[in-house]
Coordinates of all heavy atoms in Angstrom, one line a residue:
M66 N 116.8 134.9 225.3 CA 116.4 134.0 224.2 C 116.9 134.7 222.9 O 116.7 134.1 221.8 CB 114.9 134.0 224.2 CG 114.3 133.1 225.2 SD 114.8 131.4 224.9 CE 114.3 130.6 226.4
K67 N 117.6 135.7 222.9 CA 118.2 136.4 221.7 C 119.4 135.5 221.2 O 119.6 135.4 220.1 CB 118.6 137.8 221.9 CG 117.5 138.8 222.1 CD 118.0 140.1 222.1 CE 116.8 141.1 222.3 NZ 117.2 142.5 222.4
N68 N 120.0 135.0 222.2 CA 121.2 134.0 221.9 C 120.6 132.7 221.5 O 120.1 132.0 222.3 CB 122.2 133.9 223.0 CG 123.3 133.1 222.8 OD1 123.3 132.1 222.0 ND2 124.4 133.4 223.4
K69 N 120.8 132.3 220.1 CA 120.0 131.1 219.7 C 120.6 129.9 220.4 O 119.9 128.9 220.6 CB 120.1 131.1 218.2 CG 119.2 132.1 217.6 CD 119.0 131.8 216.1 CE 118.3 133.0 215.4 NZ 117.0 133.0 215.5
K70 N 121.9 129.8 220.6 CA 122.5 128.6 221.1 C 122.1 128.4 222.5 O 121.7 127.4 223.0 CB 124.0 128.6 221.1 CG 124.6 128.4 219.7 CD 126.0 128.3 219.7 CE 126.6 128.1 218.3 NZ 128.0 127.9 218.3
L71 N 122.0 129.6 223.3 CA 121.6 129.5 224.7 C 120.2 129.1 224.8 O 119.7 128.5 225.6 CB 122.0 130.9 225.3 CG 121.7 130.9 226.9 CD1 122.5 129.8 227.5 CD2 122.0 132.3 227.4
A72 N 119.4 129.7 223.9 CA 117.8 129.5 223.8 C 117.6 128.0 223.6 O 116.8 127.5 224.3 CB 117.2 130.3 222.9
K73 N 118.4 127.4 222.7 CA 118.1 125.9 222.4 C 118.6 125.2 223.7 O 117.8 124.3 224.0 CB 118.9 125.5 221.2 CG 118.7 124.1 220.9 CD 119.4 123.7 219.6 CE 119.2 122.2 219.3 NZ 118.7 121.3 220.2
T74 N 119.7 125.4 224.3 CA 120.1 124.7 225.5 C 119.1 124.8 226.5 O 118.7 123.9 227.3 CB 121.5 125.3 226.0 OG1 122.5 125.1 224.9 CG2 121.9 124.6 227.1
T75 N 118.5 126.1 226.8 CA 117.6 126.3 227.8 C 116.3 125.6 227.5 O 115.8 124.9 228.4 CB 117.2 127.8 228.0 OG1 118.4 128.5 228.2 CG2 116.2 128.1 229.0
A76 N 115.9 125.5 226.2 CA 114.6 124.9 225.8 C 114.8 123.3 226.1 O 113.9 122.7 226.5 CB 114.4 125.1 224.4
D77 N 116.0 122.9 225.7 CA 116.3 121.4 225.9 C 116.3 121.0 227.3 O 115.8 119.9 227.6 CB 117.7 121.1 225.3 CG 117.7 121.1 223.8 OD1 116.7 121.1 223.2 OD2 118.9 121.0 223.1
Q78 N 116.8 121.9 228.2 CA 116.8 121.5 229.6 C 115.3 121.6 230.1 O 115.0 120.7 231.0 CB 117.6 122.6 230.3 CG 119.0 122.5 230.2 CD 119.8 123.6 230.8 OE1 119.3 124.7 231.1 NE2 121.1 123.4 231.1
H79 N 114.5 122.4 229.7 CA 113.1 122.3 230.1 C 112.4 121.1 229.6 O 111.7 120.6 230.4 CB 112.3 123.6 229.5 CG 112.8 125.0 230.2 ND1 112.4 126.2 229.7 CD2 113.5 125.1 231.1 CE1 112.9 127.1 230.5 NE2 113.6 126.5 231.4
W80 N 112.6 120.6 228.4 CA 112.1 119.4 228.0 C 112.6 118.2 228.7 O 111.8 117.4 229.0 CB 112.3 119.3 226.4 CG 111.3 120.0 225.6 CD1 111.7 121.1 224.7 CD2 109.9 119.8 225.4 NE1 110.6 121.5 224.1 CE2 109.4 120.7 224.6 CE3 109.0 119.0 226.1 CZ2 108.1 120.9 224.3 CZ3 107.7 119.1 225.8 CH2 107.3 120.1 224.8
F81 N 113.8 118.3 229.0 CA 114.4 117.2 229.9 C 113.7 117.2 231.2 O 113.4 116.0 231.7 CB 116.0 117.5 230.1 CG 116.5 116.5 230.9 CD1 116.9 115.1 230.5 CD2 116.7 116.7 232.2 CE1 117.4 114.1 231.2 CE2 117.3 115.7 233.2 CZ 117.7 114.5 232.6
E82 N 113.5 118.3 231.8 CA 112.8 118.3 233.1 C 111.3 117.9 233.0 O 110.9 117.2 233.9 CB 112.9 119.8 233.6 CG 112.3 119.9 235.1 CD 113.0 119.2 236.1 OE1 114.0 118.5 235.9 OE2 112.3 118.8 237.2
I83 N 110.7 118.3 232.0 CA 109.3 117.9 231.8 C 109.2 116.3 231.7 O 108.5 115.7 232.3 CB 108.6 118.5 230.6 CG1 108.5 120.1 230.9 CG2 107.4 117.9 230.1 CD1 108.1 120.8 229.7
K84 N 110.2 115.8 230.9 CA 110.2 114.4 230.7 C 110.5 113.7 232.1 O 109.9 112.7 232.4 CB 111.3 113.9 229.7 CG 111.4 112.4 229.5 CD 112.7 112.2 228.5 CE 113.4 110.8 229.0 NZ 114.2 110.8 230.0
R85 N 111.5 114.3 232.7 CA 111.9 113.5 234.1 C 110.7 113.6 235.1 O 110.4 112.7 235.6 CB 113.2 114.4 234.6 CG 113.7 113.7 235.8 CD 114.8 114.6 236.5 NE 114.1 115.7 237.2 CZ 113.5 115.6 238.4 NH1 113.4 114.4 238.9 NH2 112.9 116.6 239.0
Q86 N 110.0 114.7 235.0 CA 108.9 114.8 236.0 C 107.7 113.9 235.6 O 107.1 113.3 236.5 CB 108.3 116.3 236.0 CG 109.2 117.3 236.8 CD 109.1 117.1 238.3 OE1 108.1 116.6 238.8 NE2 110.2 117.4 239.0
L87 N 107.4 113.8 234.3 CA 106.4 112.9 233.8 C 106.6 111.5 234.2 O 105.9 110.7 234.6 CB 106.1 113.1 232.3 CG 105.4 114.3 231.9 CD1 105.4 114.4 230.4 CD2 104.0 114.2 232.4
E88 N 108.0 111.0 233.9 CA 108.4 109.7 234.3 C 108.3 109.5 235.8 O 107.8 108.4 236.2 CB 109.8 109.6 233.8 CG 110.3 108.1 233.8 CD 111.7 107.9 233.0 OE1 112.3 109.0 232.7 OE2 112.0 106.8 232.7
Y89 N 108.8 110.3 236.5 CA 108.7 110.2 238.0 C 107.2 110.1 238.5 O 107.0 109.2 239.3 CB 109.4 111.5 238.7 CG 109.2 111.6 240.1 CD1 109.9 110.8 241.0 CD2 108.2 112.5 240.6 CE1 109.7 110.9 242.3 CE2 108.1 112.6 242.0 CZ 108.8 111.8 242.9 OH 108.6 111.8 244.2
K90 N 106.4 111.0 238.0 CA 104.9 111.0 238.5 C 104.3 109.7 238.0 O 103.5 109.1 238.7 CB 104.2 112.2 237.9 CG 104.7 113.4 238.5 CD 104.2 113.6 239.9 CE 104.6 114.9 240.6 NZ 104.1 115.1 241.8
S91 N 104.6 109.2 236.8 CA 104.0 108.0 236.3 C 104.4 106.8 237.1 O 103.6 106.0 237.4 CB 104.5 107.7 234.8 OG 104.1 108.7 233.9
N92 N 105.7 106.8 237.6 CA 106.2 105.7 238.5 C 105.5 105.8 239.8 O 105.0 104.7 240.4 CB 107.6 105.8 238.6 CG 108.4 105.3 237.5 OD1 107.9 104.5 236.7 ND2 109.6 105.8 237.3
C93 N 105.1 107.1 240.3 CA 104.5 107.2 241.7 C 103.2 106.7 241.6 O 102.6 106.1 242.6 CB 104.5 108.7 242.0 SG 106.1 109.4 242.6
Y94 N 102.4 106.9 240.5 CA 101.0 106.5 240.4 C 100.8 105.2 239.7 O 99.6 104.8 239.3 CB 100.3 107.6 239.7 CG 100.2 108.8 240.5 CD1 101.0 109.9 240.2 CD2 99.4 108.9 241.6 CE1 100.9 111.1 241.0 CE2 99.4 110.1 242.4 CZ 100.2 111.2 242.1 OH 100.1 112.3 242.9
G95 N 101.9 104.5 239.4 CA 101.8 103.2 238.8 C 101.4 103.2 237.3 O 100.9 102.3 236.7
S96 N 101.5 104.4 236.6 CA 101.2 104.5 235.3 C 102.3 104.2 234.3 O 103.5 104.1 234.8 CB 100.8 105.9 234.9 OG 99.7 106.3 235.7
K97 N 102.1 103.9 233.1 CA 103.1 103.5 232.2 C 103.6 104.8 231.5 O 102.8 105.7 231.1 CB 102.5 102.6 231.1 CG 103.5 102.2 230.0 CD 102.8 101.3 229.0 CE 103.8 101.1 227.8 NZ 103.1 100.3 226.8
F98 N 104.9 105.0 231.3 CA 105.6 106.1 230.8 C 106.3 105.6 229.5 O 107.0 104.6 229.6 CB 106.5 106.9 231.7 CG 107.2 108.0 231.0 CD1 106.7 109.3 230.9 CD2 108.5 107.7 230.5 CE1 107.4 110.3 230.4 CE2 109.2 108.8 230.0 CZ 108.6 110.1 229.7
A99 N 106.0 106.2 228.3 CA 106.7 105.7 227.2 C 107.0 107.0 226.3 O 106.2 107.8 226.2 CB 105.8 104.8 226.4
L100 N 108.3 106.9 225.8 CA 108.6 108.0 224.8 C 108.4 107.5 223.4 O 108.6 106.3 223.1 CB 110.2 108.3 225.0 CG 110.6 109.0 226.2 CD1 112.1 109.2 226.2 CD2 109.9 110.4 226.1
V101 N 107.8 108.2 222.6 CA 107.5 107.9 221.3 C 108.3 108.8 220.3 O 108.2 110.0 220.3 CB 105.9 108.1 221.0 CG1 105.5 107.8 219.6 CG2 105.1 107.3 222.0
D102 N 108.9 108.1 219.4 CA 109.5 108.8 218.2 C 108.5 109.4 217.2 O 107.7 108.7 216.8 CB 110.5 107.9 217.5 CG 111.3 108.5 216.4 OD1 111.1 109.8 216.3 OD2 112.2 108.0 215.9
E103 N 108.5 110.7 217.1 CA 107.5 111.3 216.3 C 107.6 111.1 214.9 O 106.7 111.5 214.1 CB 107.3 112.8 216.6 CG 108.6 113.6 216.1 CD 109.8 113.7 216.9 OE1 109.9 112.8 217.9 OE2 110.8 114.3 216.6
K104 N 108.7 110.5 214.4 CA 108.9 110.3 212.9 C 107.8 109.5 212.4 O 107.4 108.5 213.0 CB 110.2 109.6 212.6 CG 111.4 110.5 212.8 CD 112.6 109.6 212.5 CE 113.9 110.5 212.6 NZ 115.1 109.6 212.4
Y105 N 107.2 109.9 211.3 CA 106.3 109.2 210.5 C 104.8 109.1 211.2 O 104.1 108.4 210.7 CB 106.7 107.8 210.2 CG 108.1 107.7 209.6 CD1 109.1 107.1 210.4 CD2 108.5 108.3 208.5 CE1 110.3 107.0 209.9 CE2 109.7 108.3 208.0 CZ 110.7 107.7 208.7 OH 112.0 107.6 208.2
T106 N 104.7 109.8 212.3 CA 103.3 109.8 213.0 C 102.3 110.4 212.1 O 101.1 110.0 212.2 CB 103.4 110.3 214.4 OG1 103.9 111.6 214.4 CG2 104.2 109.4 215.3
S107 N 102.6 111.5 211.5 CA 101.7 112.3 210.6 C 101.5 111.6 209.3 O 100.3 111.8 208.7 CB 102.2 113.8 210.4 OG 102.3 114.4 211.6
S108 N 102.5 111.0 208.8 CA 102.4 110.4 207.4 C 102.0 109.0 207.3 O 102.0 108.3 206.2 CB 103.7 110.7 206.7 OG 104.8 110.0 207.4
T109 N 101.8 108.4 208.5 CA 101.4 106.9 208.4 C 99.8 106.9 208.8 O 99.4 107.4 209.8 CB 102.1 106.2 209.6 OG1 103.5 106.2 209.3 CG2 101.8 104.7 209.6
C110 N 99.1 106.0 208.0 CA 97.7 105.8 208.3 C 97.5 105.2 209.5 O 97.9 104.1 209.8 CB 97.1 105.0 207.1 SG 95.3 104.7 207.2
S111 N 96.6 105.8 210.4 CA 96.4 105.2 211.8 C 95.4 104.0 211.5 O 95.3 103.3 212.5 CB 95.8 106.2 212.6 OG 94.6 106.8 212.2
T112 N 94.8 103.9 210.4 CA 93.8 102.8 210.2 C 94.5 101.6 209.8 O 94.3 100.5 210.3 CB 92.8 103.2 209.1 OG1 92.1 104.4 209.6 CG2 91.7 102.2 209.0
C113 N 95.3 101.6 208.7 CA 96.0 100.5 208.1 C 97.4 100.4 208.1 O 98.1 99.4 207.9 CB 95.5 100.4 206.7 SG 96.3 101.6 205.6
G114 N 98.1 101.5 208.5 CA 99.7 101.5 208.6 C 100.3 101.8 207.4 O 101.6 101.9 207.4
Y115 N 99.6 102.2 206.3 CA 100.1 102.6 205.0 C 100.9 103.9 205.4 O 100.4 104.8 206.1 CB 99.2 102.8 204.0 CG 99.7 103.2 202.6 CD1 100.3 102.4 201.8 CD2 99.6 104.6 202.3 CE1 100.8 102.9 200.6 CE2 100.0 105.1 201.2 CZ 100.7 104.2 200.3 OH 101.2 104.7 199.1
Q116 N 102.1 104.0 204.8 CA 102.9 105.3 205.0 C 103.1 106.0 203.6 O 103.6 105.5 202.7 CB 104.2 104.8 205.5 CG 105.0 106.0 206.0 CD 106.4 105.6 206.7 OE1 106.5 104.5 207.1 NE2 107.3 106.4 206.7
L117 N 102.7 107.3 203.7 CA 103.0 108.2 202.6 C 104.5 108.3 202.4 O 105.2 108.3 203.4 CB 102.3 109.5 202.8 CG 100.8 109.6 202.8 CD1 100.4 111.0 203.1 CD2 100.3 109.2 201.5
E118 N 104.9 108.6 201.1 CA 106.3 108.8 200.9 C 106.7 110.0 201.5 O 107.8 109.9 202.3 CB 106.5 108.9 199.3 CG 107.9 108.7 198.9 CD 108.6 107.4 199.3 OE1 107.9 106.4 199.4 OE2 109.7 107.4 199.7
K119 N 106.1 111.1 201.5 CA 106.4 112.3 202.1 C 105.2 113.1 202.2 O 104.4 113.3 201.4 CB 107.5 113.1 201.3 CG 108.2 114.3 201.9 CD 109.3 114.8 201.2 CE 109.9 116.0 201.9 NZ 111.1 116.6 201.2
I120 N 105.2 114.0 203.3 CA 104.0 114.8 203.6 C 104.6 116.2 204.1 O 105.3 116.3 205.0 CB 103.0 114.2 204.5 CG1 101.8 115.1 204.7 CG2 103.7 114.0 205.9 CD1 100.7 114.4 205.5
G121 N 104.2 117.3 203.4 CA 104.7 118.6 203.7 C 103.9 119.1 204.9 O 102.9 118.7 205.2
L122 N 104.6 120.1 205.6 CA 104.0 120.7 206.7 C 102.7 121.4 206.5 O 101.9 121.6 207.3 CB 105.0 121.6 207.4 CG 106.1 120.9 208.1 CD1 107.1 122.0 208.7 CD2 105.6 120.1 209.3
D123 N 102.5 121.8 205.2 CA 101.3 122.6 204.8 C 100.2 121.8 204.5 O 99.1 122.2 204.5 CB 101.7 123.5 203.6 CG 102.0 122.6 202.4 OD1 102.8 121.6 202.6 OD2 101.7 123.0 201.3
V124 N 100.4 120.4 204.5 CA 99.3 119.4 204.2 C 98.6 119.2 205.6 O 99.2 118.5 206.5 CB 99.8 118.1 203.6 CG1 98.7 117.2 203.5 CG2 100.5 118.4 202.3
R125 N 97.5 119.7 205.7 CA 96.7 119.4 207.1 C 95.8 118.2 207.1 O 95.5 117.7 208.1 CB 95.9 120.7 207.4 CG 96.7 122.0 207.4 CD 98.0 121.9 208.2 NE 97.8 121.5 209.6 CZ 98.7 121.1 210.4 NH1 100.0 121.1 210.0 NH2 98.5 120.7 211.6
S126 N 95.3 117.7 205.9 CA 94.6 116.5 205.8 C 95.0 115.7 204.6 O 95.4 116.4 203.6 CB 93.2 117.0 205.9 OG 92.8 117.8 204.8
W127 N 94.7 114.5 204.6 CA 95.1 113.7 203.5 C 94.2 112.4 203.5 O 93.7 112.0 204.5 CB 96.6 113.3 203.5 CG 97.0 112.6 204.7 CD1 97.5 113.2 205.9 CD2 97.3 111.2 204.9 NE1 97.9 112.3 206.7 CE2 97.9 111.1 206.2 CE3 97.2 110.1 204.1 CZ2 98.2 109.8 206.7 CZ3 97.4 108.9 204.7 CH2 98.0 108.8 205.9
T128 N 94.2 111.7 202.4 CA 93.5 110.5 202.4 C 94.3 109.3 201.9 O 95.2 109.4 201.1 CB 92.3 110.6 201.2 OG1 91.4 111.7 201.5 CG2 91.5 109.3 201.0
C129 N 94.2 108.3 202.7 CA 95.1 107.1 202.6 C 94.9 106.5 201.1 O 93.8 106.2 200.8 CB 94.7 106.1 203.7 SG 95.8 104.6 203.4
D130 N 96.0 106.3 200.4 CA 95.9 105.6 199.1 C 95.6 104.3 199.2 O 95.1 103.6 198.3 CB 97.3 105.8 198.4 CG 97.7 107.2 198.1 OD1 96.7 108.0 198.0 OD2 98.9 107.5 197.9
H131 N 95.7 103.6 200.3 CA 95.6 102.1 200.5 C 94.2 101.7 200.9 O 93.6 100.9 200.4 CB 96.6 101.5 201.5 CG 96.6 100.0 201.5 ND1 96.1 99.4 202.6 CD2 97.1 99.2 200.7 CE1 96.2 98.1 202.4 NE2 96.8 97.9 201.2
C132 N 93.8 102.5 202.1 CA 92.4 102.1 202.6 C 91.3 103.1 202.4 O 90.1 102.9 202.6 CB 92.5 101.7 204.0 SG 92.7 103.1 205.1
G133 N 91.7 104.3 201.8 CA 90.8 105.3 201.6 C 90.3 106.2 202.8 O 89.4 107.0 202.7
S134 N 90.9 106.0 203.9 CA 90.5 106.8 205.1 C 91.0 108.2 205.0 O 92.1 108.4 204.6 CB 91.2 106.1 206.4 OG 90.7 104.8 206.6
A135 N 90.1 109.1 205.5 CA 90.5 110.5 205.5 C 91.0 110.9 206.9 O 90.5 110.3 207.9 CB 89.2 111.3 205.2
H136 N 92.1 111.5 206.8 CA 92.8 111.8 208.1 C 93.0 113.3 208.2 O 93.5 114.0 207.3 CB 94.2 111.2 208.1 CG 94.1 109.7 208.3 ND1 93.6 109.0 209.2 CD2 94.4 108.8 207.2 CE1 93.6 107.7 209.0 NE2 94.2 107.6 207.8
D137 N 92.8 113.8 209.4 CA 93.3 115.2 209.9 C 94.8 114.9 210.4 O 95.0 113.8 211.1 CB 92.5 115.7 211.0 CG 93.1 117.0 211.5 OD1 94.0 117.0 212.5 OD2 92.8 118.1 211.1
R138 N 95.8 115.6 209.8 CA 97.1 115.4 210.2 C 97.4 115.3 211.6 O 98.1 114.1 212.1 CB 98.0 116.6 209.6 CG 99.4 116.4 209.9 CD 100.1 117.7 209.6 NE 101.5 117.5 209.8 CZ 102.4 117.4 208.8 NH1 101.9 117.4 207.5 NH2 103.7 117.2 208.8
D139 N 97.0 116.2 212.5 CA 97.1 116.1 213.9 C 96.5 114.9 214.7 O 97.1 114.3 215.5 CB 96.8 117.5 214.5 CG 97.8 118.6 214.0 OD1 98.9 118.3 213.6 OD2 97.3 119.8 214.0
I140 N 95.2 114.8 214.4 CA 94.5 113.7 214.9 C 95.2 112.4 214.6 O 95.2 111.5 215.4 CB 93.0 113.9 214.5 CG1 92.4 115.0 215.1 CG2 92.2 112.5 214.9 CD1 91.0 115.4 214.8
N141 N 95.5 112.2 213.3 CA 96.1 111.0 212.8 C 97.5 110.7 213.6 O 97.6 109.6 214.0 CB 96.4 111.1 211.3 CG 97.0 109.7 210.8 OD1 96.4 108.7 210.9 ND2 98.2 109.9 210.3
A142 N 98.2 111.8 213.8 CA 99.5 111.6 214.5 C 99.1 111.3 216.0 O 99.9 110.4 216.5 CB 100.4 112.9 214.4
A143 N 98.2 111.9 216.6 CA 97.8 111.5 218.0 C 97.4 110.1 218.1 O 97.8 109.4 219.1 CB 96.7 112.5 218.5
L144 N 96.6 109.6 217.1 CA 96.1 108.2 217.2 C 97.3 107.3 217.0 O 97.4 106.2 217.7 CB 95.2 108.0 216.0 CG 93.8 108.6 216.2 CD1 93.0 108.4 214.9 CD2 93.0 108.1 217.4
N145 N 98.2 107.6 216.1 CA 99.5 106.8 216.1 C 100.3 106.8 217.3 O 100.9 105.7 217.7 CB 100.3 107.2 214.9 CG 99.7 106.8 213.5 OD1 99.1 105.8 213.4 ND2 99.9 107.5 212.4
I146 N 100.4 108.0 217.9 CA 101.2 108.0 219.1 C 100.5 107.2 220.3 O 101.1 106.5 221.0 CB 101.4 109.6 219.6 CG1 102.4 110.2 218.6 CG2 101.9 109.6 221.0 CD1 102.3 111.7 218.8
R147 N 99.3 107.3 220.3 CA 98.5 106.4 221.4 C 98.7 105.1 221.0 O 98.9 104.2 222.0 CB 97.0 106.8 221.2 CG 96.2 106.1 222.3 CD 94.8 106.4 222.2 NE 94.2 105.8 221.0 CZ 92.9 105.7 220.7 NH1 92.1 106.4 221.4 NH2 92.5 105.3 219.4
T148 N 98.7 104.6 219.8 CA 98.9 103.2 219.5 C 100.3 102.7 219.9 O 100.4 101.7 220.6 CB 98.7 102.9 218.0 OG1 97.4 103.4 217.6 CG2 99.0 101.5 217.6
V149 N 101.3 103.6 219.6 CA 102.7 103.2 220.1 C 102.8 103.2 221.5 O 103.3 102.2 222.1 CB 103.7 104.2 219.5 CG1 105.1 103.9 220.0 CG2 103.7 104.1 218.0
G150 N 102.2 104.1 222.2 CA 102.2 104.2 223.8 C 101.5 103.0 224.3 O 102.0 102.5 225.4
A151 N 100.4 102.7 223.7 CA 99.5 101.5 224.3 C 100.1 100.1 224.0 O 100.1 99.2 224.8 CB 98.1 101.6 223.8
T152 N 100.7 100.0 222.9 CA 101.1 98.7 222.5 C 102.6 98.5 222.3 O 103.1 97.4 222.2 CB 100.5 98.3 221.0 OG1 101.2 99.2 220.1 CG2 99.0 98.5 221.0
G153 N 103.4 99.6 222.3 CA 104.8 99.5 222.1 C 105.1 99.1 220.6 O 106.4 99.0 220.2
I154 N 104.2 99.1 219.7 CA 104.4 98.8 218.3 C 104.5 100.1 217.6 O 103.6 100.9 217.6 CB 103.3 97.9 217.7 CG1 103.2 96.6 218.4 CG2 103.5 97.7 216.3 CD1 102.0 95.7 218.1
A155 N 105.6 100.4 216.9 CA 105.8 101.6 216.3 C 105.8 101.3 214.7 O 106.2 100.3 214.2 CB 107.1 102.2 216.6
F156 N 105.3 102.3 214.1 CA 105.4 102.4 212.6 C 106.8 102.9 212.3 O 107.2 103.9 212.9 CB 104.4 103.2 211.9 CG 103.0 102.7 212.2 CD1 102.1 103.5 212.8 CD2 102.6 101.5 211.7 CE1 100.7 103.1 212.9 CE2 101.3 101.1 212.0 CZ 100.4 101.9 212.6
G157 N 107.4 102.3 211.3 CA 108.8 102.8 210.9 C 108.8 103.0 209.4 O 107.9 102.6 208.7
K158 N 109.8 103.6 208.8 CA 110.0 103.8 207.6 C 110.2 102.4 206.9 O 111.0 101.6 207.3 CB 111.3 104.6 207.2 CG 111.5 104.9 205.8 CD 110.6 105.9 205.3 CE 110.9 106.2 203.9 NZ 109.8 107.0 203.2
R159 N 109.4 102.1 205.9 CA 109.4 100.8 205.3 C 110.5 100.8 204.2 O 110.7 101.7 203.5 CB 108.1 100.5 204.7 CG 106.9 100.3 205.8 CD 105.8 99.7 205.2 NE 104.9 99.4 206.3 CZ 103.6 100.1 206.4 NH1 103.4 100.9 205.4 NH2 102.8 99.8 207.3
D160 N 111.1 99.7 204.0 CA 112.0 99.5 202.9 C 111.2 99.4 201.6 O 110.1 98.7 201.5 CB 112.9 98.2 203.1 CG 113.7 98.3 204.3 OD1 114.2 99.5 204.6 OD2 114.1 97.3 204.9
K161 N 111.8 99.8 200.6 CA 111.1 99.8 199.3 C 111.4 98.5 198.6 O 112.3 97.8 198.8 CB 111.5 100.9 198.4 CG 111.1 102.3 198.9 CD 111.7 103.4 198.0 CE 111.2 104.7 198.6 NZ 111.7 105.8 197.8
Ligands
ZN88 ZN1 95.1 103.5 205.3

C-alpha cells in the first residue's frame, strides 16, 4: 500500500468485486440492485429536493433554505440514496 498507484488499483479491484458480489447475490435472492451516483446526495434536501450551491466536507449539518428542514449530512445523504434506489429518481445539478 506504499505504492499509491498500486494501492488505488488494488482498492478499485476490491470495490469492483464487492459490487459484483452484491449484484450476483441480489439476483440470486430476487432483490433489486442499483448503483447510485453519490454526487449531490449530501447537498440536496431529502425533504423537498432543494440543492445547496456547495457544501464543504466540514459541514456536518445544515438547514434547507427552501423548506427549513434540519439535516444531518450523512443521514440526509442516506435518505437521498434510499430514494434513488427505491424510485430510480435521482437529484441532479440544476441549471441556473
Ligand atoms: Zn428542503
Side-chain angles (χ1 to χ4, degrees):
M66 288 294 173
K67 288 182 179 179
N68 182 331
K69 292 194 186 272
K70 285 186 179 178
L71 185 59
K73 182 175 180 346
T74 301
T75 302
D77 287 348
Q78 288 173 338
H79 289 171
W80 279 114
F81 176 81
E82 181 61 16
I83 289 170
K84 177 189 149 278
R85 191 189 71 76
Q86 285 287 332
L87 286 171
E88 194 167 13
Y89 170 76
K90 293 289 183 180
S91 295
N92 287 335
C93 285
Y94 294 103
S96 299
K97 181 181 172 188
F98 177 82
L100 288 175
V101 176
D102 186 353
E103 74 277 6
K104 284 183 182 174
Y105 314 115
T106 54
S107 296
S108 61
T109 302
C110 176
S111 59
T112 304
C113 72
Y115 177 80
Q116 188 175 341
L117 292 177
E118 194 60 35
K119 188 173 183 177
I120 185 170
L122 286 174
D123 59 327
V124 178
R125 305 309 308 164
S126 61
W127 57 278
T128 301
C129 178
D130 295 337
H131 188 256
C132 71
S134 296
H136 296 292
D137 174 273
R138 178 194 186 99
D139 296 333
I140 292 173
N141 183 61
L144 290 171
N145 284 329
I146 290 168
R147 182 181 69 178
T148 299
V149 173
T152 65
I154 299 170
F156 297 120
K158 183 74 175 166
R159 294 194 177 114
D160 295 330
K161 291 180 182 177

